[in-house]
Structure formats: structure tokens, C-alpha cells
Amino acid sequence: LSFLRPLAAAASRFGTLPSTAAAAVSLLTQQPVQQVALFSASLQATQQPVMDRSLYTVPTDAPVTFLACGPAFEKLSQAEKAYAYHLYRASWIGGLICLHQTSAESPGLFLVLQSVFRRQTPEQLRAACKAGVSDADWDAFLMYATQVLGNLGNYKSFGDTKILPDLSEEALDKIITVSEAHASSERVRVAWQRVRAAASSLTERNRQLGLGTAGVTAYFSDNCDESDAKLAQAFLDSRQISAYNTRLFKSADGGSYRIVQAAAESSVVAEPTDFTDEASGRSGKFSVERGGYRELMSLALPHLRNAEAAALNANQAEMLRRYAASFAGGSIDEHKAGSRAWIRDKGPAVETYMGFIESYRDPFGVRGEFESFVAVVNKEQSAKFNALVSNAEKFLSLLPWPAAYEKDKFLQPDFTALEIVTFANSGVPLGINIPNYDDIRQSEGFKNVSLANVLSSSFSDPKTTFLVAEDKDIWIRRIAQSFEVQVGLHELLGHGSGKLFKQDSDGKFNFDPSSVVDLVTGKPVASWYKVGETWDGKFSNLASAFEECRAECVGVYLCDVPEVLAVFGHPDKAEADEVIYVNWLCMARAGVASLEMYSPENGGTWRQAHSRARFAILRALLEAGQGLVTIDEITGEDGKPDLTVRLDRSKISSVAKPAIGEFLKRLQSFKSTCSVEAGREFFESYSTVDAYFQRLRDIVIARRKPRRVFIQANLSMDSAGSVSIVEYSDGPAEMIRSFRDRFSDEDWGRIEEALWQQWERDLPLMKLA
């Protein structure tokens, strides 16, 4: 170790050394044998584990499934098809905003891939690079392109982890650079040069979406952290400005912030203003402006106006007129007005909703990702959900909280089963409850939708992990039916239940503070929502997981009600008992499988709201004890570590339901009373992953299965105004073809320019790897 002695002298001059060298220098006073042993231990302790890149790649056999909707679409009249067509075009232009909400490189990757495959089909490109690219590398490239297109960015929509190409950077570069697009377009060459390294990079920070050092995000400039997000939220709350359609950019010197609202028109909303948050003492200068994503918003507007002209009733026309006003000028109030018109549009043949909706991917939990869907109503399945709505007030009375914690009047929503034609977003869900505006949901109503063709496609392959043999048979038999019941209860009575206690600007309460008792403390309610405060604004990055947990609990808690099961066509007791059992078993199993979405890095973070919710429910079931749920570590048939999850069927009513009832009651109390600190402490205690579950996580990761991505249909209109549907088969090449077909050459020229202009503005604020 004599070579270390000069380092000791250097340390005395400069005061710093790399940690390993500094540790070694500190050992020089030890005896030689001790030096060797301690230095070896020091090296071992400071070595970073090698990151398993396979956690971020997608195998070439991952399911890529066409989302069939043709039979339902063909039942529409020509007027209904025309209305759907214009909505479809507006949706997909707006959906490209998701690229600019994901990562710095996502827009560039999309531009390159679209340009490449607009010039050459996959077959033609394969022929061009045949000599220098192996079949394995080619298949990996096709799957990578499929995942970037299907997730509208290079981060997974479910889990928010980076999508890496499962081939070398050199092989990926060879495929792109041999393309006709790369040879003929300077813009493609520039874009590829910018994103080439970032596509394959896997630094600690860019493994997942997050804020500050916890990950990457395009909702904020690269120099923002959580303290900036909190300060900005306090400013927005003070001005009663919604964060849904905004992004936050901090100046290089850290002293000022720009809040940019999405809008086709550019204008100043608020000149730079000094602001101090009284709670934290932090200060900053804030300005608010319109014009975010302005080129894409401008391109979507004509199609929205065409859809308004083709609207089938007055509510639809008003809805689209208001949406257009919101997209033009950035007003969330206009979007709210459009949402009110949408709620009034009961039972349409063609259903749609669009805007900045779900806040799952904002690391702070308040900014909405752009989302737009166009769907055809499945009347047969919708009848089940309408029957559920008709009995909703009776079912709500069965929830484990008193009437004071429920809305004064349940506003019966529209609840339909939809065959999705278009879902322009980073991912396609199974069900939706919207709008997310608290004031509208609490006093005016909402709608629920179950996405029927998504549900049926999701369970087309019933294979699953972590179940014993006797449970697999019943699982295959009942999982689709069980999930239909769960989605219905989750959306309607989960997200649709519960009251937020509020005080208005006149000091009036929407509850009686003198008589309503806090369900947790047993004392009079001591906190509530004040003017300008919202559920997601107050609970921020916890709101989504907390609310999904509450809705999932409602689903399992009410799934054994005979009248509920009869609504869904399960009046036979033996059949109903199987549906109930599979629903509870599914929740317990999902709690274990959800560990895939937990990241131990940075102190441990959850990358997905639903997964965190289901894990918390698993912890509540385990806490109930009495052998209700058992998790066994076993050796699988392949000789590798495996797990099984068992649920004691005989204890569902006596142990499981009371335990979840108590858990659910507390969740509702914290939400109703705006008890942020107590609610956070409670939920975090159930969603903390300790050493035991981290060990199980290793097995879950090793047994993980790739998530399905959906190919979506396209619509076309001929010169006579006749609309037809274009359908596809399964597989990566078909995903690529569907995106190529989605935009005409004329449209693509304008879209490419819009994407490029927004990307050019964003890049100085973001960070490419």
C-alpha cells in the first residue's frame, strides 16, 4: 500500500479524495495484515452494484395486441361515424403532447422513428441493413420501436421506468443511419445525433421518471426539485390557478419561475410577481404565460371545430366549443364548462373526453397528462352498469362510514361499457371515472366508463404467476368476470363515493362542524378544505395512490353483496362465491406482484399509483392475521426461487372484509377532513417496503412478465364524406404500420414541424443523457 502515501500528502493539500482512496489512506496507520483486510472490506462496501439492464428492456415476444372494435363501429350511422372521425383526428394530434410531457429525448425519438417508417416499411428497412444486422438485433429494434410508439415516449406508461433498446448502441445506430430518412433528411440526422446516446443511456437518474435527483421529467425544467414544486403549488393556490395544464420552468440563477399553460395562443397571464410561501418561508418571482404546446394545440383545433359541426346533439356541440376555447386560450374554467356539458350528454352512441386529465405521471401529482378517447358504446354490457347505477345509493349505504361522510345527494352518473376506437395517451386503462375536478364531482356529477374491448383483450391469455395449482383453475374460469365486477365497483362506488368537507368564501361549511365526528380521532372534525384548496393539490404526490387504494378497497368490500353480483349476471351462489373468492385472491396476489413497481433507490419510491395502492391493501390483509393470507417462498418447477400467495376462502367475510372496512374507513376520514399529515403517515406506513418484502421483490422481478401494448385502429374519410375503419393484426410490425397510417403525408409535414418547434424550445430546459 506504499502507493497510497502520496495520496495522503495530496489529501493534506487539497482536502478531498475519492471515497475509496480516502478510506484506504485512513488505514495507513494500521498493521499490514489489518490494512489488507480493512482495505478489501472498504473496496467491497464502496463498489456500486452492476445495474441489470434487462429490467429496462422488453423481450421480443412481449404481447403486442390489436384492440378490435370493428363490429361495434360498423353499427354506427354515417353521421355518428363522421363525428367519431373528427374526434379521432383531434385526439391523435393532441396525444402527441404526451411526448413532450415524458422526457427530453421522447419527441426526438418519435420524430426519427416516424420519419424512418414513413419512408420505408419494416420489410424494406430490414432488407437495407440485412448484411450488418443480426436477426436478434432486428427483432429487438422492432420491439423497441413498438414500445416507444405504444407508450408515446421512451418510459413505460405503467411503472414509469425507462425503455431501453435490447441491442447495442452501435447496432441501433446502424439500423437508423442506413435508412432512407437518415440519408435524405437533415432534420432526422440532427434529431438522431441528439438522442442516439440518450436512447441507450442508463444513469441512476434516468432509470425512471421523477423530480430532482429521483428521476427525469418533462413537466419541470431540469433544475427543479420537490421544494420548487411545493413553492409553485403554493403560488398557484394563492392565485386559484389550476396546475392541470401547466409546466414549471426555473431560471438558471434559481430566482424566478415561469408557469406555462397549454394553449394555442401565446400571451402573458401574470407579470413577474414576488411570492413568499408562509408555510415554508421560501420565496420566488413567478410569472404565468400561455402558449405551451402551441403548435400542436393549433393543429388540433380545426378538427375539434369540425367535430362540433358534426355533433349529434346540443350538449356535444357545447362540450366541443368549450374544449376548443380551453385549448385556444388555456382556460381550465372553459374545460370545466365543457366537462359539465359532457356529463349532461347521457348515453351517446359515440363517447369521448379529452384534455389534461390524469396526474399519475407528474412526480408532484398535480399536472395532467394529455388524454383523449373516442369509443363506441357497448349497449349490452352497459345495461349491467346502468343497473349498478340505479342501485348505487343503496350500495353506498353499505360502506363503512356514516351518512355525513357521503355526498348530500348521489348524482347518478352515466356508466357505460365502451369499445375503444382511439385512446391517445401513453397507456390504455381498463376503466375511467371522470372528470377529476373536485368541485364538479362533488356537486354536479361524473361519468364512469368500463373499456370492454380492453378488458377482454387483457385476459385473452389467462396465465398468471404466484398461485397454487388448485387456484389456477378457478382463476382461469373467473378472472374476467371478477375483474368486470371490480372495475364497476371501483369506478362508480370507489371514485364516486365520499364527501370532501369544505368551507366556502363566505365562511359556510358543507357539513356541520359541531356534530360531525372525525372517524379516526373520535373528536369533532378539526380540518377541512379551504377556498382554492383541492384534494390533489393538498395531497400532491400521494393523492393518486391514496385514491386508487380507496377505490380498490370499495371494490373488494362490496363485491360479496348479492344484489351487486346479480347485476353482473351471477345470481347462482356457487358461481358468485367463485367470483368473490377470485376478486379477493386477485387483490392479494396483485399486492405481491406490485413489488415490481417499487424502486429501492433513493430511499425507496413507488413508480405506479395502482401498484402502491394494492401493496398497501396486501399489508392490511396480512395485518388482519388469523391465517387469512399467506405468502410462501418455494422452488419453482424450473429450480429457481418462486412465490405462492394463498387466501383462506373461509375467512373472507369474517376476517378480510372487517379488516378492509376499518382500513377503508380511515382512508375516507383522512380524505374527507383534509388531514394531510396524518393521512400521509398512515398510508406510508402501509406502503413501506421492508427488508422482507425487498427479498420477495427480487423473486417478483425475476418472474415478471412483459406488459401488453395495444395497437389501435385508424379511421379514414373519402371525398364523399364516407368514413371507414382500418384494422390491424397483432405484432410489432403492425404497430409501426398503424402509426404510419395515422397521419397523411400532408398532415405529417405540419405535425413534424409542430413537434420540432416545441422540442427546440424545450431542449435548453431539459437534459439529454
Side-chain angles (χ1 to χ4, degrees), residues 391-538:
N391 291 279
E393 288 183 90
K394 179 170 64 177
F395 299 146
L396 284 169
S397 69
L398 302 176
L399 291 172
W401 50 76
Y405 279 75
E406 202 49 73
K407 299 181 183 74
D408 298 332
K409 178 177 173 54
F410 181 71
L411 302 167
Q412 288 198 349
D414 211 14
F415 197 167
T416 49
L418 302 179
E419 304 282 340
I420 285 293
V421 178
T422 291
F423 207 104
N425 182 251
S426 62
V428 184
L430 296 172
I432 319 170
N433 176 285
I434 38 183
N436 287 334
Y437 303 118
D438 291 336
D439 49 347
I440 296 178
R441 292 166 65 92
Q442 290 286 311
S443 60
E444 298 176 61
F446 51 91
K447 280 189 183 183
N448 296 278
V449 296
S450 173
L451 308 186
N453 55 343
V454 181
L455 272 168
S456 60
S457 296
S458 297
F459 297 111
S460 57
D461 178 8
K463 295 176 184 176
T464 193
T465 51
F466 312 135
L467 296 179
V468 295
E470 56 267 31
D471 279 337
K472 287 183 179 179
D473 291 338
I474 191 173
W475 178 281
I476 291 169
R477 189 163 61 247
R478 298 299 180 197
I479 184 59
Q481 296 164 321
S482 169
F483 222 84
E484 183 184 44
V485 173
Q486 179 67 13
V487 168
L489 293 171
H490 173 115
E491 300 297 346
L492 175 66
L493 303 178
H495 292 312
S497 64
K499 184 176 187 176
L500 301 183
F501 296 155
K502 294 184 175 183
Q503 183 180 29
D504 64 21
S505 56
D506 296 327
K508 295 180 181 178
F509 294 92
N510 69 343
F511 69 105
D512 184 356
S514 65
S515 63
V516 177
V517 174
D518 188 304
L519 302 179
V520 176
T521 66
K523 299 176 181 179
V525 167
S527 58
W528 47 82
Y529 296 85
K530 298 177 177 62
V531 176
E533 294 181 341
T534 62
W535 153 250
D536 50 7
K538 293 298 292 181

Side-chain angles (χ1 to χ4, degrees), residues 376-691:
V376 182
V377 173
N378 181 317
K379 294 181 179 179
E380 182 179 340
Q381 285 189 267
S382 295
K384 299 178 185 178
F385 296 120
N386 288 330
L388 189 67
V389 171
S390 298
N391 291 279
E393 288 183 90
K394 179 170 64 177
F395 299 146
L396 284 169
S397 69
L398 302 176
L399 291 172
W401 50 76
Y405 279 75
E406 202 49 73
K407 299 181 183 74
D408 298 332
K409 178 177 173 54
F410 181 71
L411 302 167
Q412 288 198 349
D414 211 14
F415 197 167
T416 49
L418 302 179
E419 304 282 340
I420 285 293
V421 178
T422 291
F423 207 104
N425 182 251
S426 62
V428 184
L430 296 172
I432 319 170
N433 176 285
I434 38 183
N436 287 334
Y437 303 118
D438 291 336
D439 49 347
I440 296 178
R441 292 166 65 92
Q442 290 286 311
S443 60
E444 298 176 61
F446 51 91
K447 280 189 183 183
N448 296 278
V449 296
S450 173
L451 308 186
N453 55 343
V454 181
L455 272 168
S456 60
S457 296
S458 297
F459 297 111
S460 57
D461 178 8
K463 295 176 184 176
T464 193
T465 51
F466 312 135
L467 296 179
V468 295
E470 56 267 31
D471 279 337
K472 287 183 179 179
D473 291 338
I474 191 173
W475 178 281
I476 291 169
R477 189 163 61 247
R478 298 299 180 197
I479 184 59
Q481 296 164 321
S482 169
F483 222 84
E484 183 184 44
V485 173
Q486 179 67 13
V487 168
L489 293 171
H490 173 115
E491 300 297 346
L492 175 66
L493 303 178
H495 292 312
S497 64
K499 184 176 187 176
L500 301 183
F501 296 155
K502 294 184 175 183
Q503 183 180 29
D504 64 21
S505 56
D506 296 327
K508 295 180 181 178
F509 294 92
N510 69 343
F511 69 105
D512 184 356
S514 65
S515 63
V516 177
V517 174
D518 188 304
L519 302 179
V520 176
T521 66
K523 299 176 181 179
V525 167
S527 58
W528 47 82
Y529 296 85
K530 298 177 177 62
V531 176
E533 294 181 341
T534 62
W535 153 250
D536 50 7
K538 293 298 292 181
F539 282 76
S540 64
N541 59 1
L542 192 70
S544 292
F546 196 105
E547 174 61 10
E548 293 304 332
C549 188
R550 197 181 68 86
E552 290 282 51
C553 284
V554 169
V556 290
Y557 188 79
L558 294 178
C559 76
D560 65 345
V561 176
E563 293 88 344
V564 167
L565 292 158
V567 161
F568 286 97
H570 310 298
D572 177 75
K573 187 177 187 308
E575 179 181 311
D577 285 347
E578 287 190 346
V579 171
I580 295 166
Y581 174 58
V582 170
N583 203 33
W584 281 94
L585 177 64
C586 180
M587 192 60 65
R589 182 205 162 272
V592 172
S594 67
L595 287 165
E596 180 186 347
M597 299 298 162
Y598 174 78
S599 294
E601 302 86 2
N602 301 315
T605 56
W606 283 95
R607 305 190 311 270
Q608 216 290 321
H610 298 80
S611 297
R612 185 177 185 180
R614 290 161 187 160
F615 179 75
I617 293 171
L618 171 68
R619 292 288 300 269
L621 292 173
L622 289 168
E623 186 182 79
Q626 302 183 56
L628 174 65
V629 173
T630 54
I631 304 169
D632 294 318
E633 298 178 61
I634 64 169
T635 300
E637 294 179 358
D638 57 2
K640 298 178 181 178
D642 204 347
L643 299 170
T644 58
V645 181
R646 297 172 185 263
L647 175 77
D648 188 334
R649 189 171 178 174
S650 69
K651 295 176 180 174
I652 290 175
S653 60
S654 61
V655 180
K657 186 164 183 173
I660 291 303
E662 182 60 30
F663 183 70
L664 174 57
K665 182 174 71 173
R666 288 174 175 264
L667 292 174
Q668 183 59 52
S669 181
F670 294 131
K671 181 179 180 182
S672 288
T673 62
C674 193
S675 300
V676 180
E677 292 183 10
R680 183 174 291 276
E681 181 181 358
F682 175 79
F683 192 68
E684 287 182 344
S685 71
Y686 279 89
S687 55
T688 295
V689 179
D690 59 20

Side-chain angles (χ1 to χ4, degrees), residues 80 106 168 256 299 381 713:
E80 290 164 344
S106 286
S168 69
S256 61
L299 290 178
Q381 285 189 267

Side-chain angles (χ1 to χ4, degrees), residues 14 140 162 213 287 522 588 626 648 656 661:
F14 298 108
K162 188 168 185 179
T213 58
S287 62
Q626 302 183 56
D648 188 334

Side-chain angles (χ1 to χ4, degrees), residues 183-220:
S184 60
S185 170
E186 175 67 16
R187 182 168 284 178
V188 171
R189 290 193 292 273
V190 170
W192 181 239
Q193 183 61 33
R194 287 175 179 174
V195 303
R196 178 183 181 274
S200 299
S201 169
L202 192 64
T203 65
E204 184 174 350
R205 185 181 177 193
N206 74 16
R207 293 171 193 165
Q208 64 281 316
L209 298 180
L211 190 52
T213 58
V216 299
T217 177
Y219 286 102
F220 299 83

